Amino acid sequence: MKKMARNKVYNYLRPGCLAVVILILFWLVVSCREKLALPGVEVAVSFSDKNLSDNLLTSLKIKFITTSDFKLPVQDYELLAEASAGEKTLLREKLSFPVPVSRWQPNRVYEVQKFIYFPPFIDFFSRSVGQGLPVNFRLYFKSPLSSDMIVVYQRRLKFSPCPPDVPDVVFLNGWLVVKRPGKNPDELQVERWTGQQASCWLENPERPAMLMLRGSIPSETPPGQKVVIALGNRILEEFEPLPGSLEKIYQLTGSDFGQNDGLQLTIRVNKTIKLTDIYPDIKNEQPVGFRLETIYFR
């Protein structure tokens, strides 16, 4: 009887002990990769928009306040901002410090500010979004030498759908729409490229608005390419881009549009490249400038 009782206890405890062991191992793995906040550092976070929504470009402002017990870390860290809704990552942005972390001092305030963009992710017609949808937001230091990260701030934010009064953007002439195979065999990846000159019409918002262009410059682009961005008769910027990601943000006022119903946004490049030189599998020799991934106007 005693032996049977011991066997019953053993059989009962074995699954529980196994679960405990797995939990401890999981905790050890996670703790090696994600550490607690830096001691002696307080973090204050704010957004320029009081009401957050999807399809929103907002200014993120972060204050790092070091206290008297702050100790210098042994290395510099990169600061990243990350937001996710469920399993979908909405953004992951790297932010630059004016002063490297390894040179911080106690009892000081170090500020970082950057525009970040939350893409569309909410179904406006869904009944479940009446009270808003949660978004997990966090800031963390990442070591450039290892996979270690230190979470310094995390918070659950509430997002509402983008308001319906966003001004219209209408694509006009000069664009090349490219369809390429996606990750899955049954899906297509659609890209929009500028030609030598491409334009779109922006509706007059009758209030201050933000304009953002996001895209990428292909590495095959000939050197000396210049890009001119103009709104109506006014040149917003003329620059020589580098291969890689491209982001331009412009703060517009109501007077930029005057009494017009809208204005034409024009993008010009002085040098182009054949599309087939970028994608050899696409036999298309049309000249393109750069790929436009997002145009934001709100």
Side-chain angles (χ1 to χ4, degrees):
M1 292 293 291
K2 291 182 178 180
K3 185 176 181 180
M4 291 179 61
R6 283 197 301 268
N7 288 340
K8 287 183 179 180
V9 172
Y10 175 74
N11 291 332
Y12 175 77
L13 291 177
R14 185 168 53 182
C17 292
L18 182 60
V20 171
V21 171
I22 293 174
L23 183 62
I24 292 174
L25 291 174
F26 176 77
W27 178 84
L28 288 174
V29 171
V30 172
S31 63
C32 290
R33 297 180 58 85
E34 187 173 301
K35 300 179 180 179
L36 298 177
L38 284 174
V41 177
E42 298 176 0
V43 184
V45 176
S46 62
F47 297 94
S48 58
D49 290 79
K50 183 178 180 181
N51 299 317
L52 299 177
S53 72
D54 68 339
N55 189 28
L56 175 68
L57 180 68
T58 185
S59 178
L60 169 65
K61 187 175 183 179
I62 311 166
K63 287 185 179 181
F64 291 91
I65 306 166
T66 59
T67 60
S68 57
D69 57 346
F70 171 74
K71 294 182 180 180
L72 284 175
V74 295
Q75 61 177 314
D76 276 322
Y77 289 96
E78 297 175 339
L79 176 64
L80 288 95
E82 187 179 84
S84 60
E87 297 182 356
K88 181 178 181 181
T89 299
L90 302 178
L91 65 86
R92 185 179 288 112
E93 294 279 353
K94 184 184 295 185
L95 297 93
S96 300
F97 286 112
V99 179
V101 180
S102 61
R103 292 170 53 188
W104 285 9
Q105 299 295 324
N107 301 315
R108 300 288 179 86
V109 177
Y110 300 95
E111 294 188 13
V112 180
Q113 190 165 358
K114 184 180 182 180
F115 282 107
I116 60 173
Y117 174 61
F118 292 96
F121 67 95
I122 299 177
D123 181 3
F124 182 82
F125 298 100
S126 174
R127 295 181 180 180
S128 61
V129 301
Q131 302 300 321
L133 288 181
V135 169
N136 295 315
F137 180 80
R138 68 174 182 170
L139 303 171
Y140 60 91
F141 287 137
K142 186 179 183 303
S143 169
L145 305 177
S146 67
S147 59
D148 288 347
M149 63 172 62
I150 303 175
V151 178
V152 294
Y153 179 89
Q154 52 188 355
R155 179 183 171 191
R156 175 164 286 195
L157 306 172
K158 183 179 292 186
F159 274 65
S160 59
C162 177
D165 61 344
V166 173
D168 291 331
V169 176
V170 180
F171 287 93
L172 301 175
N173 301 319
W175 302 95
L176 178 63
V177 177
V178 179
K179 296 181 179 180
R180 303 177 57 233
K183 295 181 180 179
N184 299 323
D186 58 342
E187 70 177 19
L188 286 176
Q189 180 177 335
V190 180
E191 300 176 352
R192 188 185 300 273
W193 289 76
T194 70
Q196 183 94 46
Q197 177 170 306
S199 60
C200 55
W201 183 81
L202 305 182
E203 182 185 8
N204 187 347
E206 300 181 352
R207 60 177 183 271
M210 302 290 296
L211 171 66
M212 179 187 72
L213 303 175
R214 271 188 176 179
S216 58
I217 305 295
S219 58
E220 299 84 357
T221 299
Q225 184 193 64
K226 290 185 178 179
V227 179
V228 178
I229 300 176
L231 182 63
N233 297 322
R234 172 192 168 196
I235 294 179
L236 297 177
E237 190 174 2
E238 181 176 348
F239 59 95
E240 190 170 321
L242 296 175
S245 298
L246 171 71
E247 180 179 275
K248 293 294 178 180
I249 297 175
Y250 306 100
Q251 295 178 304
L252 305 177
T253 65
S255 60
D256 289 324
F257 289 83
Q259 300 301 315
N260 299 303
D261 292 336
L263 287 178
Q264 183 168 296
L265 177 72
T266 305
I267 302 172
R268 298 192 298 271
V269 297
N270 65 333
K271 294 184 178 182
T272 58
I273 184 173
K274 295 178 181 178
L275 183 65
T276 190
D277 291 336
I278 302 171
Y279 301 132
D281 57 320
I282 299 179
K283 305 305 179 183
N284 189 330
E285 296 193 352
Q286 285 187 261
V288 294
F290 67 89
R291 182 173 61 196
L292 179 68
E293 297 165 1
T294 303
I295 179 168
Y296 172 94
F297 182 53
R298 177 177 166 184

